[in-house]
Amino acid sequence: MSSENNVFGAMLQEFAGAARLLGLDEGLWKILTHPKRQVTVSCPVVMDNGKVEVFTGYRVQYNITLGPAKGGIRFHPDVTLDEVKALAAWMTWKCAVAGVPFGGGKGGIICDPTKMSQRELEALTRRYIAEIADLIGPDKDVPAPDVNTNAQTMAWVMDTYSMKIGTTCTAVVTGKPIEMGGSEGRREATGRGVMISAREAAAHLGFDIKGATVAVQGFGNVGSVSADLLAKIGAKIVAVTDWRGGVHNPKGLDIPALIEWTAKNKTVAGFPGADALDPSTIFGLDVDVLIPAALENQITEKNADSIKAKVIVEGANGPTTPAAHQSLHKRGVFVVPDILANAGGVTTSYFEWVQDRHGYFWQESEVNERLELKMVEAFNTVLQTALKYKTDMRTAAYIVAINKVATVTKLRGMYA
Ligand code: GLU
Protein backbone atom coordinates (compact mmCIF):
# COMPACT_ATOMS: atom_id res chain seq x y z
CA MET A 1 0.00 0.00 0.00
CA SER A 2 1.52 3.35 -1.02
CA SER A 3 1.84 6.04 1.64
CA GLU A 4 -0.79 8.08 -0.23
CA ASN A 5 -3.24 5.30 0.55
CA ASN A 6 -2.37 4.89 4.23
CA VAL A 7 -5.55 6.33 5.68
CA PHE A 8 -4.42 6.84 9.26
CA GLY A 9 -1.37 8.65 7.86
CA ALA A 10 -3.76 10.81 5.84
CA MET A 11 -5.75 11.62 8.99
CA LEU A 12 -2.51 12.61 10.77
CA GLN A 13 -1.55 14.94 7.90
CA GLU A 14 -4.96 16.62 7.95
CA PHE A 15 -4.74 16.92 11.73
CA ALA A 16 -1.25 18.46 11.57
CA GLY A 17 -2.30 21.16 9.10
CA ALA A 18 -5.05 22.34 11.44
CA ALA A 19 -3.14 21.85 14.71
CA ARG A 20 -0.32 24.04 13.40
CA LEU A 21 -2.70 26.88 12.52
CA LEU A 22 -4.35 26.50 15.91
CA GLY A 23 -0.99 26.58 17.71
CA LEU A 24 -1.91 23.36 19.53
CA ASP A 25 0.12 22.53 22.63
CA GLU A 26 2.62 19.70 22.06
CA GLY A 27 1.23 17.45 24.80
CA LEU A 28 -2.33 17.76 23.52
CA TRP A 29 -1.06 17.08 20.01
CA LYS A 30 0.39 13.77 21.26
CA ILE A 31 -2.77 12.79 23.13
CA LEU A 32 -5.11 13.56 20.23
CA THR A 33 -3.06 11.61 17.68
CA HIS A 34 -3.18 8.34 19.64
CA PRO A 35 -6.19 5.99 19.80
CA LYS A 36 -7.38 5.30 23.33
CA ARG A 37 -8.09 1.62 22.74
CA GLN A 38 -7.88 -0.81 19.81
CA VAL A 39 -9.16 -4.36 19.97
CA THR A 40 -8.75 -7.26 17.54
CA VAL A 41 -11.06 -10.27 17.87
CA SER A 42 -11.36 -13.60 16.07
CA CYS A 43 -14.91 -14.63 15.22
CA PRO A 44 -15.47 -18.31 14.37
CA VAL A 45 -18.61 -18.98 12.30
CA VAL A 46 -20.08 -22.28 11.10
CA MET A 47 -20.72 -21.58 7.42
CA ASP A 48 -23.67 -22.96 5.45
CA ASN A 49 -21.42 -25.70 3.99
CA GLY A 50 -20.75 -26.98 7.53
CA LYS A 51 -17.14 -25.74 7.60
CA VAL A 52 -15.79 -23.32 10.21
CA GLU A 53 -14.37 -19.98 9.07
CA VAL A 54 -12.62 -17.55 11.42
CA PHE A 55 -13.15 -13.84 10.66
CA THR A 56 -11.01 -11.03 12.07
CA GLY A 57 -12.83 -8.05 13.56
CA TYR A 58 -11.69 -4.76 15.02
CA ARG A 59 -13.15 -2.12 17.32
CA VAL A 60 -11.22 1.09 17.90
CA GLN A 61 -12.24 3.66 20.51
CA TYR A 62 -10.20 6.60 19.37
CA ASN A 63 -11.22 9.23 21.91
CA ILE A 64 -13.95 9.44 24.56
CA THR A 65 -13.28 12.92 25.93
CA LEU A 66 -16.64 14.38 24.84
CA GLY A 67 -18.75 11.28 25.57
CA PRO A 68 -19.16 7.57 24.75
CA ALA A 69 -17.31 6.33 21.66
CA LYS A 70 -19.59 6.45 18.61
CA GLY A 71 -19.23 5.02 15.15
CA GLY A 72 -20.33 2.41 12.68
CA ILE A 73 -19.38 -1.19 11.96
CA ARG A 74 -18.21 -1.95 8.43
CA PHE A 75 -18.13 -5.32 6.66
CA HIS A 76 -15.64 -5.36 3.79
CA PRO A 77 -12.86 -7.61 2.44
CA ASP A 78 -10.36 -4.71 2.51
CA VAL A 79 -10.90 -3.71 6.18
CA THR A 80 -7.59 -3.13 8.01
CA LEU A 81 -6.77 -1.96 11.52
CA ASP A 82 -5.14 1.15 10.01
CA GLU A 83 -8.41 1.97 8.23
CA VAL A 84 -10.59 1.38 11.31
CA LYS A 85 -8.24 3.57 13.36
CA ALA A 86 -8.53 6.40 10.82
CA LEU A 87 -12.31 6.02 10.65
CA ALA A 88 -12.51 6.10 14.48
CA ALA A 89 -10.41 9.28 14.54
CA TRP A 90 -12.65 10.84 11.89
CA MET A 91 -15.69 9.97 14.03
CA THR A 92 -14.07 11.86 16.93
CA TRP A 93 -13.67 15.01 14.82
CA LYS A 94 -17.06 14.54 13.17
CA CYS A 95 -18.95 14.35 16.47
CA ALA A 96 -17.11 17.45 17.69
CA VAL A 97 -17.91 19.39 14.48
CA ALA A 98 -21.55 18.27 14.58
CA GLY A 99 -21.88 19.30 18.21
CA VAL A 100 -23.05 15.93 19.54
CA PRO A 101 -21.76 14.69 22.93
CA PHE A 102 -19.85 11.66 21.72
CA GLY A 103 -16.29 10.55 21.24
CA GLY A 104 -15.20 8.57 18.22
CA GLY A 105 -15.05 4.84 17.54
CA LYS A 106 -15.31 2.44 14.63
CA GLY A 107 -15.60 -1.27 14.00
CA GLY A 108 -14.82 -3.44 11.03
CA ILE A 109 -14.83 -7.10 10.08
CA ILE A 110 -12.77 -8.52 7.21
CA CYS A 111 -15.39 -10.41 5.20
CA ASP A 112 -17.14 -10.35 1.84
CA PRO A 113 -20.85 -9.92 2.64
CA THR A 114 -21.76 -10.29 -1.07
CA LYS A 115 -20.71 -13.95 -0.76
CA MET A 116 -22.44 -14.68 2.56
CA SER A 117 -25.98 -15.79 3.39
CA GLN A 118 -28.19 -13.91 5.87
CA ARG A 119 -27.69 -16.72 8.38
CA GLU A 120 -23.91 -16.48 8.08
CA LEU A 121 -24.03 -12.68 8.43
CA GLU A 122 -26.20 -12.99 11.53
CA ALA A 123 -23.86 -15.55 13.11
CA LEU A 124 -20.83 -13.35 12.34
CA THR A 125 -22.47 -10.21 13.74
CA ARG A 126 -23.53 -11.97 16.93
CA ARG A 127 -20.12 -13.53 17.55
CA TYR A 128 -18.35 -10.20 16.91
CA ILE A 129 -20.65 -8.40 19.37
CA ALA A 130 -20.25 -11.20 21.93
CA GLU A 131 -16.46 -10.72 21.64
CA ILE A 132 -16.63 -6.94 22.25
CA ALA A 133 -19.68 -6.94 24.58
CA ASP A 134 -17.68 -5.78 27.61
CA LEU A 135 -16.45 -2.73 25.73
CA ILE A 136 -19.74 -1.42 24.34
CA GLY A 137 -22.85 -0.03 26.02
CA PRO A 138 -25.00 3.14 25.97
CA ASP A 139 -22.45 4.98 28.15
CA LYS A 140 -19.34 3.35 26.73
CA ASP A 141 -19.43 2.84 22.99
CA VAL A 142 -22.45 2.95 20.68
CA PRO A 143 -22.10 1.26 17.25
CA ALA A 144 -24.14 2.08 14.13
CA PRO A 145 -24.35 1.04 10.47
CA ASP A 146 -21.55 1.71 7.99
CA VAL A 147 -20.48 0.19 4.66
CA ASN A 148 -22.39 -3.09 4.04
CA THR A 149 -24.26 -3.09 7.37
CA ASN A 150 -27.84 -1.93 7.89
CA ALA A 151 -30.81 -1.79 10.26
CA GLN A 152 -31.08 -5.60 10.35
CA THR A 153 -27.43 -5.87 11.38
CA MET A 154 -28.10 -3.35 14.17
CA ALA A 155 -31.11 -5.39 15.33
CA TRP A 156 -28.76 -8.39 15.82
CA VAL A 157 -26.29 -6.14 17.66
CA MET A 158 -29.02 -4.92 20.02
CA ASP A 159 -30.35 -8.43 20.64
CA THR A 160 -26.93 -10.00 21.27
CA TYR A 161 -25.93 -7.28 23.73
CA SER A 162 -29.33 -7.39 25.44
CA MET A 163 -29.21 -11.17 25.82
CA LYS A 164 -25.73 -10.90 27.36
CA ILE A 165 -26.76 -8.34 29.97
CA GLY A 166 -30.16 -9.96 30.57
CA THR A 167 -32.30 -6.91 29.82
CA THR A 168 -33.46 -5.19 26.66
CA CYS A 169 -31.16 -2.28 25.93
CA THR A 170 -32.04 -0.22 22.88
CA ALA A 171 -29.55 2.63 23.38
CA VAL A 172 -26.50 0.39 22.88
CA VAL A 173 -26.68 0.82 19.11
CA THR A 174 -28.23 3.26 16.62
CA GLY A 175 -29.57 2.81 13.10
CA LYS A 176 -31.99 0.13 14.35
CA PRO A 177 -35.31 -0.70 12.71
CA ILE A 178 -37.97 1.83 13.77
CA GLU A 179 -40.10 -0.91 15.36
CA MET A 180 -37.44 -1.60 17.98
CA GLY A 181 -36.19 1.80 19.08
CA GLY A 182 -34.81 3.15 15.82
CA SER A 183 -35.43 6.76 14.90
CA GLU A 184 -37.57 8.12 12.13
CA GLY A 185 -35.28 9.70 9.55
CA ARG A 186 -32.11 7.85 10.62
CA ARG A 187 -31.78 5.79 7.44
CA GLU A 188 -31.93 8.92 5.29
CA ALA A 189 -29.95 11.13 7.69
CA THR A 190 -26.47 10.92 6.16
CA GLY A 191 -27.83 11.62 2.68
CA ARG A 192 -30.00 14.42 4.07
CA GLY A 193 -26.92 16.01 5.61
CA VAL A 194 -25.08 15.72 2.28
CA MET A 195 -28.01 17.44 0.54
CA ILE A 196 -28.01 20.25 3.13
CA SER A 197 -24.22 20.65 2.76
CA ALA A 198 -24.48 20.86 -1.04
CA ARG A 199 -27.32 23.37 -0.79
CA GLU A 200 -25.41 25.56 1.70
CA ALA A 201 -22.20 25.38 -0.36
CA ALA A 202 -24.06 26.46 -3.51
CA ALA A 203 -25.68 29.36 -1.62
CA HIS A 204 -22.27 30.44 -0.29
CA LEU A 205 -20.71 30.33 -3.77
CA GLY A 206 -23.68 32.14 -5.27
CA PHE A 207 -25.22 29.53 -7.55
CA ASP A 208 -28.65 27.96 -7.39
CA ILE A 209 -28.79 24.30 -6.38
CA LYS A 210 -32.02 24.16 -8.41
CA GLY A 211 -30.90 23.15 -11.89
CA ALA A 212 -27.30 22.48 -10.78
CA THR A 213 -25.75 19.32 -12.24
CA VAL A 214 -24.57 16.60 -9.88
CA ALA A 215 -22.49 13.41 -10.24
CA VAL A 216 -22.57 10.76 -7.50
CA GLN A 217 -19.96 8.03 -6.95
CA GLY A 218 -21.49 5.17 -4.96
CA PHE A 219 -25.18 4.27 -4.76
CA GLY A 220 -25.44 2.66 -1.34
CA ASN A 221 -27.36 4.26 1.51
CA VAL A 222 -25.47 7.57 1.35
CA GLY A 223 -25.21 8.00 -2.43
CA SER A 224 -28.79 6.99 -3.21
CA VAL A 225 -30.45 9.15 -0.54
CA SER A 226 -28.21 12.16 -1.35
CA ALA A 227 -29.15 11.85 -5.03
CA ASP A 228 -32.83 11.45 -4.24
CA LEU A 229 -33.03 14.43 -1.87
CA LEU A 230 -30.96 16.67 -4.16
CA ALA A 231 -33.24 15.76 -7.07
CA LYS A 232 -36.23 16.63 -4.85
CA ILE A 233 -34.89 20.18 -4.34
CA GLY A 234 -34.44 20.59 -8.09
CA ALA A 235 -30.83 19.52 -8.76
CA LYS A 236 -30.15 17.46 -11.88
CA ILE A 237 -28.39 14.17 -11.12
CA VAL A 238 -26.63 13.46 -14.42
CA ALA A 239 -24.33 10.57 -13.46
CA VAL A 240 -24.19 7.79 -10.91
CA THR A 241 -21.62 5.00 -10.60
CA ASP A 242 -21.07 2.01 -8.33
CA TRP A 243 -18.31 -0.60 -8.18
CA ARG A 244 -19.95 -2.59 -10.96
CA GLY A 245 -20.73 0.15 -13.49
CA GLY A 246 -22.23 3.55 -14.15
CA VAL A 247 -25.00 5.50 -15.89
CA HIS A 248 -25.10 8.95 -17.44
CA ASN A 249 -27.91 11.12 -18.72
CA PRO A 250 -27.24 14.83 -19.36
CA LYS A 251 -31.01 15.51 -19.03
CA GLY A 252 -31.02 14.09 -15.50
CA LEU A 253 -31.60 10.56 -14.20
CA ASP A 254 -34.93 9.45 -12.73
CA ILE A 255 -33.55 8.72 -9.24
CA PRO A 256 -36.58 6.92 -7.69
CA ALA A 257 -36.61 4.61 -10.75
CA LEU A 258 -32.85 4.10 -10.45
CA ILE A 259 -33.26 3.18 -6.76
CA GLU A 260 -35.88 0.59 -7.73
CA TRP A 261 -33.65 -0.77 -10.51
CA THR A 262 -30.67 -1.07 -8.14
CA ALA A 263 -32.73 -2.90 -5.50
CA LYS A 264 -33.50 -5.57 -8.12
CA ASN A 265 -30.24 -5.68 -10.08
CA LYS A 266 -27.69 -4.91 -7.31
CA THR A 267 -26.06 -2.31 -9.59
CA VAL A 268 -26.95 0.91 -11.41
CA ALA A 269 -25.42 -0.56 -14.59
CA GLY A 270 -27.87 -1.33 -17.37
CA PHE A 271 -30.50 1.15 -16.14
CA PRO A 272 -32.72 1.93 -19.16
CA GLY A 273 -32.93 5.55 -20.29
CA ALA A 274 -29.26 6.30 -19.65
CA ASP A 275 -25.90 5.77 -21.33
CA ALA A 276 -23.34 3.44 -19.80
CA LEU A 277 -20.54 5.25 -17.97
CA ASP A 278 -17.14 3.88 -17.06
CA PRO A 279 -16.93 4.41 -13.25
CA SER A 280 -13.33 5.60 -13.53
CA THR A 281 -14.45 8.62 -15.58
CA ILE A 282 -17.00 10.05 -13.12
CA PHE A 283 -14.66 12.59 -11.49
CA GLY A 284 -13.79 14.19 -14.85
CA LEU A 285 -17.40 15.03 -15.76
CA ASP A 286 -18.33 18.66 -16.31
CA VAL A 287 -20.76 19.05 -13.39
CA ASP A 288 -21.38 21.66 -10.68
CA VAL A 289 -21.37 19.27 -7.72
CA LEU A 290 -19.46 16.03 -7.22
CA ILE A 291 -20.42 13.64 -4.42
CA PRO A 292 -17.97 10.85 -3.62
CA ALA A 293 -20.13 8.47 -1.57
CA ALA A 294 -18.19 5.21 -1.71
CA LEU A 295 -14.90 4.43 0.03
CA GLU A 296 -11.58 6.09 0.97
CA ASN A 297 -8.81 7.13 -1.43
CA GLN A 298 -10.99 7.78 -4.48
CA ILE A 299 -9.86 11.32 -5.32
CA THR A 300 -6.09 11.05 -5.63
CA GLU A 301 -3.18 12.95 -7.18
CA LYS A 302 -3.90 11.00 -10.38
CA ASN A 303 -7.43 12.27 -10.97
CA ALA A 304 -7.72 15.46 -8.86
CA ASP A 305 -6.59 17.72 -11.71
CA SER A 306 -9.29 16.36 -14.02
CA ILE A 307 -12.07 17.48 -11.65
CA LYS A 308 -14.21 20.25 -13.15
CA ALA A 309 -16.84 20.51 -10.39
CA LYS A 310 -17.15 23.75 -8.40
CA VAL A 311 -18.07 21.86 -5.24
CA ILE A 312 -17.19 18.46 -3.80
CA VAL A 313 -19.40 17.20 -0.99
CA GLU A 314 -17.78 14.21 0.72
CA GLY A 315 -20.52 11.69 1.50
CA ALA A 316 -17.92 8.97 2.12
CA ASN A 317 -15.31 9.03 4.87
CA GLY A 318 -11.81 9.90 3.63
CA PRO A 319 -12.50 9.91 -0.14
CA THR A 320 -9.79 12.52 -0.85
CA THR A 321 -6.08 11.90 -0.22
CA PRO A 322 -4.01 14.75 1.32
CA ALA A 323 -2.10 15.28 -1.95
CA ALA A 324 -5.36 15.58 -3.90
CA HIS A 325 -6.69 17.90 -1.21
CA GLN A 326 -3.76 20.28 -1.80
CA SER A 327 -4.28 20.33 -5.55
CA LEU A 328 -8.06 20.93 -5.22
CA HIS A 329 -7.44 23.74 -2.76
CA LYS A 330 -4.92 25.40 -5.11
CA ARG A 331 -7.42 25.23 -7.97
CA GLY A 332 -10.15 26.76 -5.81
CA VAL A 333 -12.50 23.77 -5.72
CA PHE A 334 -14.79 24.22 -2.69
CA VAL A 335 -14.69 20.96 -0.71
CA VAL A 336 -17.19 20.24 2.07
CA PRO A 337 -15.12 17.68 4.02
CA ASP A 338 -16.40 14.31 5.22
CA ILE A 339 -16.33 15.21 8.92
CA LEU A 340 -18.89 17.94 8.16
CA ALA A 341 -20.71 16.75 5.02
CA ASN A 342 -21.60 13.26 6.23
CA ALA A 343 -22.23 14.22 9.87
CA GLY A 344 -26.01 13.99 9.38
CA GLY A 345 -25.85 10.25 10.11
CA VAL A 346 -24.23 10.49 13.50
CA THR A 347 -26.30 13.56 14.38
CA THR A 348 -29.49 11.56 13.92
CA SER A 349 -27.82 8.64 15.71
CA TYR A 350 -27.51 11.04 18.63
CA PHE A 351 -31.24 11.81 18.33
CA GLU A 352 -31.95 8.06 18.31
CA TRP A 353 -29.83 7.51 21.43
CA VAL A 354 -31.63 10.39 23.20
CA GLN A 355 -35.06 8.99 22.24
CA ASP A 356 -34.09 5.49 23.41
CA ARG A 357 -32.87 6.80 26.73
CA HIS A 358 -36.07 8.79 27.24
CA GLY A 359 -38.30 6.04 25.87
CA TYR A 360 -40.12 8.79 24.00
CA PHE A 361 -40.09 8.98 20.21
CA TRP A 362 -40.28 11.95 17.87
CA GLN A 363 -42.09 12.36 14.58
CA GLU A 364 -40.05 12.36 11.38
CA SER A 365 -40.66 16.08 10.82
CA GLU A 366 -39.19 16.86 14.24
CA VAL A 367 -36.10 14.72 13.59
CA ASN A 368 -35.54 16.37 10.20
CA GLU A 369 -36.04 19.89 11.56
CA ARG A 370 -33.52 19.29 14.34
CA LEU A 371 -31.07 17.80 11.83
CA GLU A 372 -31.49 20.81 9.53
CA LEU A 373 -30.66 23.17 12.42
CA LYS A 374 -27.61 21.18 13.51
CA MET A 375 -26.19 20.80 9.99
CA VAL A 376 -26.65 24.47 9.04
CA GLU A 377 -25.09 25.54 12.33
CA ALA A 378 -22.10 23.22 11.84
CA PHE A 379 -21.69 24.38 8.22
CA ASN A 380 -21.70 28.04 9.24
CA THR A 381 -19.28 27.49 12.14
CA VAL A 382 -16.81 25.76 9.80
CA LEU A 383 -17.27 28.40 7.10
CA GLN A 384 -16.66 31.27 9.56
CA THR A 385 -13.58 29.45 10.85
CA ALA A 386 -12.29 28.99 7.28
CA LEU A 387 -12.72 32.72 6.64
CA LYS A 388 -11.12 33.66 9.96
CA TYR A 389 -8.05 31.47 9.46
CA LYS A 390 -7.97 32.09 5.67
CA THR A 391 -7.97 28.36 5.05
CA ASP A 392 -10.01 25.66 3.35
CA MET A 393 -13.12 23.98 4.79
CA ARG A 394 -11.34 20.73 5.72
CA THR A 395 -8.65 22.45 7.75
CA ALA A 396 -11.33 24.67 9.30
CA ALA A 397 -13.45 21.67 10.32
CA TYR A 398 -10.40 20.12 11.98
CA ILE A 399 -9.69 23.41 13.76
CA VAL A 400 -13.23 23.45 15.18
CA ALA A 401 -13.02 19.80 16.23
CA ILE A 402 -9.50 19.83 17.67
CA ASN A 403 -10.23 23.01 19.58
CA LYS A 404 -13.33 21.45 21.20
CA VAL A 405 -11.68 18.16 22.16
CA ALA A 406 -8.47 19.90 23.32
CA THR A 407 -10.41 22.38 25.48
CA VAL A 408 -12.31 19.60 27.26
CA THR A 409 -9.13 17.50 27.61
CA LYS A 410 -7.49 20.46 29.37
CA LEU A 411 -10.55 21.09 31.57
CA ARG A 412 -10.76 17.45 32.59
CA GLY A 413 -7.04 17.28 33.25
CA MET A 414 -4.85 14.24 33.03
CA TYR A 415 -5.60 11.22 35.21
CA ALA A 416 -2.34 9.75 36.40
N1 GLU B 1 -21.15 5.16 9.93
C1 GLU B 1 -21.64 6.50 9.96
C2 GLU B 1 -20.50 7.48 9.83
O1 GLU B 1 -19.44 7.17 9.34
C3 GLU B 1 -22.56 6.77 11.13
C4 GLU B 1 -21.94 6.60 12.49
C5 GLU B 1 -22.95 6.67 13.64
O2 GLU B 1 -24.09 7.01 13.42
O3 GLU B 1 -22.52 6.40 14.76
O4 GLU B 1 -20.64 8.62 10.16
Side-chain angles (χ1 to χ4, degrees), residues 70-74 87 91 94-95 102 105-106 142-147 174-175 186 190 317 342-343 345-350:
K70 186 85 192 78
I73 300 169
R74 125 176 344 193
L87 290 162
M91 285 308 303
K94 191 186 302 184
C95 290
F102 289 132
K106 200 79 171 199
V142 184
D146 197 77
V147 174
T174 58
R186 174 61 187 86
T190 311
N317 291 309
N342 71 38
V346 77
T347 301
T348 304
S349 276
Y350 166 55

Side-chain angles (χ1 to χ4, degrees), residues 207-225:
F207 71 90
D208 202 344
I209 196 73
K210 220 169 156 193
T213 52
V214 182
V216 184
Q217 183 209 33
F219 209 59
N221 175 261
V222 181
S224 62
V225 176

Side-chain angles (χ1 to χ4, degrees), residues 379-399:
F379 186 94
N380 286 332
T381 303
V382 173
L383 183 60
Q384 291 316 315
T385 306
L387 297 174
K388 179 175 161 199
Y389 284 85
K390 299 190 174 42
T391 191
D392 58 276
M393 291 287 279
R394 187 186 316 279
T395 309
Y398 269 85
I399 289 176

Side-chain angles (χ1 to χ4, degrees), residues 46-389:
V46 181
M47 305 302 279
D48 290 348
N49 64 8
K51 287 195 182 148
V52 172
E53 287 292 339
V54 180
F55 296 88
T56 301
Y58 305 105
R59 185 76 190 169
V60 176
Q61 296 172 348
Y62 191 81
N63 190 293
I64 58 165
T65 304
L66 299 184
K70 186 85 192 78
I73 300 169
R74 125 176 344 193
F75 288 179
H76 199 277
D78 299 335
V79 163
T80 62
L81 181 57
D82 175 85
E83 180 195 36
V84 178
K85 211 161 70 171
L87 290 162
W90 282 323
M91 285 308 303
T92 307
W93 315 133
K94 191 186 302 184
C95 290
V97 168
V100 294
F102 289 132
K106 200 79 171 199
I109 303 181
I110 307 170
C111 66
D112 186 350
T114 62
K115 298 203 173 90
M116 293 171 71
S117 69
Q118 279 292 98
R119 193 208 58 82
E120 289 168 342
L121 287 170
E122 176 174 351
L124 176 58
T125 306
R126 288 187 182 278
R127 183 58 190 251
Y128 169 72
I129 293 303
E131 293 294 340
I132 64 166
D134 291 341
L135 300 175
I136 63 172
D139 295 309
K140 290 184 180 175
D141 183 355
V142 184
D146 197 77
V147 174
N148 291 329
T149 57
N150 55 28
Q152 176 60 75
T153 326
M154 300 308 117
W156 296 326
V157 171
M158 184 278 229
D159 184 68
T160 307
Y161 180 80
S162 297
M163 287 295 121
K164 273 209 109 114
I165 64 165
T167 175
T168 289
C169 176
T170 52
V172 64
V173 63
T174 58
K176 299 177 296 293
I178 288 173
E179 300 84 336
M180 50 177 282
S183 177
E184 295 285 352
R186 174 61 187 86
R187 191 187 66 79
E188 301 84 1
T190 311
R192 181 171 291 279
V194 168
M195 176 275 282
I196 294 168
S197 299
R199 189 196 68 205
E200 294 300 302
H204 167 65
L205 297 176
F207 71 90
D208 202 344
I209 196 73
K210 220 169 156 193
T213 52
V214 182
V216 184
Q217 183 209 33
F219 209 59
N221 175 261
V222 181
S224 62
V225 176
S226 306
D228 190 40
L229 294 179
L230 276 162
K232 286 200 167 83
I233 59 167
K236 204 167 20 155
I237 319 300
V238 295
V240 173
T241 57
D242 60 31
W243 61 283
R244 289 187 162 120
V247 284
H248 184 224
N249 184 344
K251 291 202 196 89
L253 296 157
D254 178 348
I255 298 298
L258 185 58
I259 290 174
E260 240 177 77
W261 168 270
T262 310
K264 276 196 212 109
N265 299 281
K266 307 285 170 236
T267 174
V268 296
F271 177 62
D275 300 327
L277 180 75
D278 175 350
S280 69
T281 62
I282 187 143
F283 295 138
L285 292 179
D286 192 3
V287 289
D288 298 311
V289 181
L290 191 59
I291 301 179
L295 293 169
E296 304 93 61
N297 293 329
Q298 301 300 302
I299 302 178
T300 66
E301 246 175 327
K302 288 192 193 83
N303 57 22
D305 285 342
S306 71
I307 289 176
K308 299 186 184 71
K310 299 187 189 80
V311 176
I312 298 177
V313 185
E314 295 183 341
N317 291 309
T320 310
T321 66
H325 163 72
Q326 292 305 335
S327 108
L328 293 169
H329 180 49
K330 260 188 229 133
R331 289 178 42 232
V333 181
F334 188 86
V335 180
V336 188
D338 46 7
I339 57 172
L340 168 62
N342 71 38
V346 77
T347 301
T348 304
S349 276
Y350 166 55
F351 299 154
E352 179 171 333
W353 180 78
V354 167
Q355 292 171 77
D356 286 339
R357 295 180 73 129
H358 284 190
Y360 180 77
F361 291 88
W362 314 342
Q363 292 190 340
E364 188 179 353
S365 56
E366 185 174 351
V367 174
N368 291 345
E369 274 161 35
R370 287 180 189 264
L371 176 61
E372 167 79 25
L373 288 175
K374 280 264 192 211
M375 283 302 300
V376 171
E377 191 188 338
F379 186 94
N380 286 332
T381 303
V382 173
L383 183 60
Q384 291 316 315
T385 306
L387 297 174
K388 179 175 161 199
Y389 284 85

